[in-house]
Amino acid sequence: MQVLLLGTAAGGGFPQWNCACRMCTAGLPARTQDCVAISADGAGWYLINASPDIRTQILSAPALAAGPGPRDTPVRGALLTDAELDHTLGLAMLREGAGLQVWAPPAVLHALGTDFPLQGIVSRYGSWDWRPIPETFPIDGLSVTVFPVSGKKPKYVRSTADGPWVVAYKITDPSGGSVVYAPCLKTWPDGFDELIEDATCVILDGTFYSPDEMSGATNKGVGSGAQRAMGHIPIAGPDGSLARIARHPGKRWIYTHLNNTNPILDPASREYEEVLAAGAEAPLDGTLITV
Ligand code: MLT
Ligand code: MN
Ligand code: ZN
């Protein structure tokens, strides 16, 4: 299985257009909003999430180039982990594509039919197949397992539909290789250790390095108080994800959905050194992983 990291930043991307914080002005490599593409055979690809940057992401990836017919595309569809705007706005950018499949939790499909009526809008441009996810399902030679993560709703949602509102996906190929994609974790969920036990590669929520990053000394004025409300497990600290990673050696650990305040965006930082020392990494957009 091939896993292509199309984007690795949180909502807003890096740098963020209206931000002049220390990190956004440091001249570090830019990152687009998080999205991966997966493929069993390199011929058909599925996106996990569809970021507003999807057009640039697809055009930057030779594997996703259109063809061989004039309107053929290797992009078959998308699996959504949640209904957040940074994970769904890209579907509107894909409206020229006919016959895409979109898999999502029922609550997410409900939001995309009501509070953010993307299903109705896109359906006026082409016929898409919107599918509520069962616990497991096949996609073109790969097997998908759904892991319910949380009931965290996007800010714009008024719907009271039953969750889960956020899920993670484990994708397994016939040879047994597997990747877990979990870009939105509030805490380390119960049962997550078991899910990842036999995974080859885990791509994890790396939004924030520290629990108080958006209110700390170096980031005054970028949104104090907003971090806790956003609900993302920090990398560092006793309740952070890095401490959990240490319990699972022998896998490839990747952080994605990096917020523009995260010091690990700087590969020369002490914080990124710590991530590397723990056996994890935060590769740039465009990285291809073979599982
Ligand atoms: C999140 O990851 O918490 C959301 O995407 C925040 C946002 O972009 O509004
Ligand atoms: Mn997000
Ligand atoms: Zn910034």
Side-chain angles (χ1 to χ4, degrees):
M1 167 172 41
Q2 296 178 60
V3 181
L4 181 54
L5 303 181
L6 292 174
T8 54
F14 179 70
Q16 182 169 307
W17 69 275
N18 65 338
C19 192
C21 76
R22 181 176 67 97
M23 299 304 295
C24 283
T25 53
L28 294 163
R31 295 175 185 250
T32 59
Q33 296 164 86
D34 76 288
C35 184
V36 297
I38 51 166
S39 179
D41 54 9
W45 291 80
Y46 283 81
L47 307 171
I48 309 185
N49 293 329
S51 96
D53 301 315
I54 194 65
R55 178 177 178 277
T56 307
Q57 291 170 338
I58 290 176
L59 293 178
S60 310
L64 303 182
R71 281 290 162 93
D72 287 346
T73 167
V75 178
R76 304 273 181 267
L79 283 60
L80 304 179
T81 60
D82 52 71
E84 295 287 352
L85 294 178
D86 55 341
H87 293 162
T88 54
L89 276 168
L91 294 175
M93 278 72 182
L94 299 174
R95 66 191 176 283
E96 297 88 358
L100 295 185
Q101 287 170 24
V102 180
W103 298 89
V108 169
L109 290 178
H110 187 255
L112 299 183
T114 51
D115 293 313
F116 177 29
L118 198 59
Q119 292 191 61
I121 292 168
V122 171
S123 70
R124 284 178 217 127
Y125 295 81
S127 164
W128 286 17
D129 189 6
W130 302 82
R131 303 188 181 187
I133 44 172
E135 277 172 37
T136 60
F137 57 97
I139 46 163
D140 285 7
L142 298 170
S143 156
V144 182
T145 303
V146 177
F147 181 84
V149 168
S150 75
K152 187 198 156 200
K153 290 182 202 175
K155 263 192 213 170
Y156 71 82
V157 163
R158 294 283 168 267
S159 161
T160 54
D162 286 342
W165 280 87
V166 179
V167 301
Y169 291 108
K170 182 179 190 178
I171 323 281
T172 308
D173 77 4
S175 68
S178 62
V179 63
V180 171
Y181 193 64
C184 185
L185 297 178
K186 201 169 180 172
T187 55
W188 195 264
D190 286 344
F192 197 64
D193 287 296
E194 289 74 25
L195 178 80
I196 62 174
E197 189 70 58
D198 64 348
T200 322
C201 174
V202 186
I203 305 175
L204 210 56
D205 186 340
T207 310
F208 300 115
Y209 176 79
S210 58
D212 62 352
E213 193 167 300
M214 284 179 76
S215 48
T218 52
N219 282 317
K220 279 206 171 72
V222 298
S224 61
Q227 179 171 340
R228 197 163 297 275
M230 280 174 73
H232 291 284
I233 186 173
I235 293 172
D239 300 322
S241 54
L242 213 51
R244 299 298 191 127
I245 285 178
R247 299 184 197 170
H248 297 272
K251 316 186 178 298
R252 189 156 182 193
W253 286 95
I254 291 176
Y255 281 115
T256 191
H257 196 270
L258 307 182
N259 193 56
N260 67 74
T261 50
N262 192 326
I264 77 165
L265 288 160
D266 180 355
S269 62
R270 172 190 61 78
E271 291 85 353
Y272 191 54
E273 248 174 59
E274 192 186 320
V275 164
L276 290 176
E281 55 186 315
L284 291 174
D285 295 6
T287 302
L288 179 67
I289 298 159
T290 304
V291 170

